Amino acid sequence: MRKITTSIFLVLFLFLSVPSYSATKIAKDFPQLITERFSRQWVGMPQEKVYLQTDKPYYSAGEDIWFKGYLVNATTLEPTAFSQFVYVELISKLDSVFYRIKIKKDSLGFAGHIKLKPEVPTGYYSLRAYTYWMQNTPDAFFFSKNILIGNGIDDRITSKITYGTPLNGLIPATLTFIDASKNPVAGKKVEIVQNWSSALKKKLNILTNKEGQISWQLSVGPNDISKKSIEVNVVDEKYKNNFFLPEFSKDYDVQFFPESGVLLNNDLQSIAFKAIGKDGLSVDVSGKVFNNKNEELVEFTTLHKGMGKFSIQTQPNESYYGLVKSADGTEKRFELPKTESEAVAIHLVNNRGKILYQIVNQTALSNKSLYLLIHSRGKVYVIQQLGFLEGQISESLLPAGIVSFSVVDSLGHTFCERLSFIRNNSFPTIRMDSNKPSYGKREPVDLSLNIQSILGKPVNGSYSISITDSRTVKLDSLADNIQSYLLLSSDIKGYVEDPGAYFVDNKIVTREKTDVLMLTQGWKRFNTADVVKGIYKPSTYYMEAGQALSGKVLNLFNKPSKNSNVIMITPYKNSIRIAKTDSLGRYLIDGIEFPDSTSFVLKARKPKSITDVEIIPDVDEYPKPGMFIPVPWNANAAAQEDYFKQSKEKYYTEGGMRAVNLAEVTVKAAKKQDLHSEYYSGMADNEINSEQLDKYPGMSIHDLLYTIPGIQVSGDKISIRGSLNNPMFLVDNIEMQDMDEISYMTSNDIENLQVFKGANAAIFGSRGGNGVIAITLKKGVTLKASTPISLTHVVPLGYQKPAQFYVPKYEVDSALNSPQPDLRTTIYWNPKLAADSNGNVHVKFYTADKANNYSVVLEGLTNKGEMCRYTGLLRRENR
């Protein structure tokens, strides 16, 4: 792992600058101590948040995903974070990282794009963003956005899967195949691979009937929690597809959450509940609560997304349970938490802009030994001794977002915690003016958006705007946006369904929905109990303020080689740098900048030594891609059908390669000897052939293996299905003893790559116990001579070079009257907008051909961290 020294010194300085306290001082000035302990957390080790605005919510293969990243301090929400790079990944449901790019900060933030290849399969994906420093927090706090990607480019064959009613643990499944002329694909052999642990048969071979269908029964164990997919291969047509199984079980789970986490004895207490199905999504339920005497106490029903709340008066020596019924009539029993006789609880009520609190102390401790602690995102706003057990605080004194109310004592114990959401919003106001009330085909549009603070003054900041065809691009008003993400969903752990629903208005019912979310959702970004005790999680990952190369140099005895010279050579700007190793044999070459695909040669040399030294570069570490990507039951792209049709037409109009159906022909030729036919041919679990490899020119062997399901790559460590040891590597049927022997390889060298797992690896004997990766080199490529251990070649992930969204200009008659259709769905995208001195943002572009209205979405941040969002509509007429 590379360490940037200057960044570490900065963090340590901030961390150590907060004074420590003796036991006497703790007793004398506890509120100040707690305030400074929290300051040590958010000032000395500041957390970061990143939010991405994308140009639209779903995409087609062959398109670009355009995005703008907003990086802020997680406490203040101001754009003052130190990291200078943001990583953006596109991850499939099988946890394969399809793309990973690195975006460098410029004067207006982080802007980039992902170019989707034409062969990207249809499915649901997650767009994830984080900084290197953010890896010190759980990946649940990374930005993620689930998006649908459709692929209608290769329409030689399309397939659709339907499921019948489960019976006795078996689920009827039917796959239908049609060709480009909408005719059934009949009499074709279809290979089915069922990828989940409880499948009775992993592989099936079935012929399609005259309707182009195959039918079989799926077997899914009731306790099988693995990700489930079906690989489909129409053998003669070279057609492949993947289908992800929805959750067939109607089972669900219900949890009960006493207010502030404690169910007190003999107290009138509010209790929230949350019902979740096996698919991880909410379930609407109703039910009744009974005591241990089977006496009914209260009825309850879901308020929003499987959540709700009720109140009961607890009694001594009573326990409680709920009988819960789902919408399909399934009834289950769930126990409530046990009551506690010696504990502290907080009750909150929000009333007309004020938060009323009541504290119930059922311990032997005096009230004066307890303190009320109120903090938001790690910054303390109130820490006071409990002279009274009731009180109130105005929302205007607290920042917008999640606020924590806790009761603590001077020994560092946290007795309870209650979250509340504050709607003290001061969002800037935005007004849009256009130069015309409506627009025709290929007409110029001149927009002006005026941005004013809540005080009516112009504000400076960074903004991005997306203008899309409102008929083909359906915006989801309940999805996350810059306001809902930074204030709400980025601070709570777990998947939040429709987060935008909590911001649609300020009505009582919306406040109630938000409150049950606060009562049921985990909050782990700032651990109140640990910070009160002065316990901090150490930072493992550095704050990436610049780019660098680092590593270590070892001598003949495998010990650190200090004072060795390390020479760096790169063709990028013809740069040469020299560094010396320190007492630990470490070297650091910083103060450099390089875009992606930049190669470096590193040479280590010990002055006045006749023996060679070994150079070992550090390898960046990236978080594992395990993502929750929910797929609705019988999900399909029907709602976006117009969009995918138009995107396909646009792709071909702009020169994309078209798949053409040719009549069947017979070609006769003498059989050519296959120089690389091996005894294990055709038995691999996964295979990447030469056609697929050609789509990834220059990709390193590490990145290539990373795309294969079931293979984990971490630095030089490669494992199959979680094995502790490296698999066996075969290159042209020769076993490689060291991974270094193939680390130089790229996709340009490889003709074929096969992966053998589990039972299929048994043909290699005991050597295949950890799996086997077999590589066939292209003709003329040979294993290169081993290089000196003091010399190495690295291609680290560099930043993406800036690209500009293309907008046609119809300024001359030849362009205005061009017969080539303008089929843009994203009409205009600009991630680098800034307001002038009057708060105005100006945008100019030309309309497309179709007479559909345009949706306008502007988002951004002022320099003070005020979140800006505007949605509007431009009228388009057929003229």
Side-chain angles (χ1 to χ4, degrees), residues 384-405:
Q384 67 181 29
Q385 199 171 35
L386 284 183
F388 300 96
L389 295 180
E390 295 181 354
Q392 64 181 30
I393 183 170
S394 173
E395 280 193 343
S396 62
L397 300 177
L398 299 171
I402 299 176
V403 173
S404 165
F405 288 72

Side-chain angles (χ1 to χ4, degrees), residues 179-251:
D179 61 22
S181 301
K182 306 300 181 182
N183 297 316
V185 180
K188 298 296 183 180
K189 178 183 176 182
V190 179
E191 292 180 347
I192 301 292
V193 179
Q194 302 180 126
N195 291 317
W196 61 90
S197 58
S198 61
L200 294 180
K201 290 185 178 180
K202 298 294 184 183
K203 293 184 179 180
L204 301 169
N205 290 287
I206 310 174
L207 285 179
T208 58
N209 60 21
K210 63 181 181 179
E211 285 82 25
Q213 295 180 334
I214 61 171
S215 297
W216 77 106
Q217 290 187 316
L218 307 172
S219 172
V220 180
N223 299 317
D224 189 345
I225 61 173
S226 62
K227 294 190 175 183
K228 306 171 186 68
S229 67
I230 299 173
E231 295 179 24
V232 178
N233 178 19
V234 183
V235 180
D236 295 337
E237 302 295 331
K238 294 185 178 180
Y239 169 84
K240 293 184 178 182
N241 200 358
N242 267 294
F243 295 93
F244 296 93
L245 268 65
E247 181 55 58
F248 297 100
S249 172
K250 301 300 182 182
D251 194 16

Side-chain angles (χ1 to χ4, degrees), residues 207-446:
L207 285 179
T208 58
N209 60 21
K210 63 181 181 179
E211 285 82 25
Q213 295 180 334
I214 61 171
S215 297
W216 77 106
Q217 290 187 316
L218 307 172
S219 172
V220 180
N223 299 317
D224 189 345
I225 61 173
S226 62
K227 294 190 175 183
K228 306 171 186 68
S229 67
I230 299 173
E231 295 179 24
V232 178
N233 178 19
V234 183
V235 180
D236 295 337
E237 302 295 331
K238 294 185 178 180
Y239 169 84
K240 293 184 178 182
N241 200 358
N242 267 294
F243 295 93
F244 296 93
L245 268 65
E247 181 55 58
F248 297 100
S249 172
K250 301 300 182 182
D251 194 16
Y252 62 94
D253 180 63
V254 176
Q255 288 183 286
F256 293 95
F257 302 88
E259 186 176 18
S260 74
V262 180
L263 187 58
L264 289 176
N265 254 333
N266 198 27
D267 184 38
L268 178 62
Q269 197 151 354
S270 179
I271 300 173
F273 64 89
K274 185 171 187 177
I276 298 292
K278 289 288 290 290
D279 59 359
L281 298 176
S282 61
V283 175
D284 287 340
V285 297
S286 60
K288 299 177 181 180
V289 174
F290 299 84
N291 61 16
N292 52 355
K293 301 174 186 177
N294 296 323
E295 296 171 336
E296 181 182 328
L297 303 180
V298 67
E299 294 185 2
F300 61 85
T301 188
T302 296
L303 171 66
H304 180 68
K305 296 295 179 182
M307 301 177 292
K309 65 180 179 179
F310 56 87
S311 296
I312 61 172
Q313 174 68 50
T314 59
Q315 300 294 337
N317 303 317
E318 279 192 350
S319 59
Y320 306 94
Y321 67 92
L323 288 183
V324 185
K325 185 179 293 185
S326 62
D328 67 351
T330 304
E331 188 173 73
K332 298 181 68 176
R333 172 173 169 153
F334 298 94
E335 302 297 324
L336 272 67
K338 293 181 179 180
T339 58
E340 299 184 38
S341 56
E342 295 186 6
V344 180
I346 301 177
H347 304 321
L348 296 184
V349 175
N350 189 302
N351 185 25
R352 297 184 178 182
K354 294 182 180 179
I355 300 176
L356 312 180
Y357 63 85
Q358 179 189 40
I359 297 170
V360 181
N361 178 13
Q362 291 186 355
T363 69
L365 298 172
S366 67
N367 294 336
K368 290 187 177 181
S369 67
L370 302 177
Y371 292 82
L372 174 64
L373 168 63
I374 304 176
H375 75 88
S376 177
R377 298 184 289 270
K379 184 176 181 180
V380 174
Y381 286 85
V382 174
I383 174 72
Q384 67 181 29
Q385 199 171 35
L386 284 183
F388 300 96
L389 295 180
E390 295 181 354
Q392 64 181 30
I393 183 170
S394 173
E395 280 193 343
S396 62
L397 300 177
L398 299 171
I402 299 176
V403 173
S404 165
F405 288 72
S406 303
V407 175
V408 301
D409 68 10
S410 59
L411 298 178
H413 299 127
T414 300
F415 292 91
C416 57
E417 184 174 19
R418 167 71 152 95
L419 303 183
S420 181
F421 189 80
I422 305 301
R423 296 179 177 273
N424 181 23
N425 302 331
S426 56
F427 301 138
T429 59
I430 303 175
R431 187 187 74 251
M432 182 178 75
D433 295 312
S434 58
N435 61 325
K436 289 183 179 181
S438 64
Y439 297 89
K441 177 181 176 180
R442 303 188 180 186
E443 284 190 0
V445 179
D446 192 344

Side-chain angles (χ1 to χ4, degrees), residues 460-481:
N460 295 320
S462 174
Y463 312 99
S464 48
I465 192 170
S466 173
I467 300 175
T468 54
D469 183 322
S470 64
R471 184 178 183 275
T472 55
V473 179
K474 308 292 186 182
L475 302 182
D476 184 357
S477 62
L478 302 184
D480 245 335
N481 56 60

Side-chain angles (χ1 to χ4, degrees), residues 441-442 810-820:
K441 177 181 176 180
R442 303 188 180 186
Y810 299 113
E811 297 174 340
V812 297
D813 289 344
S814 59
L816 185 63
N817 300 317
S818 171
Q820 179 170 320

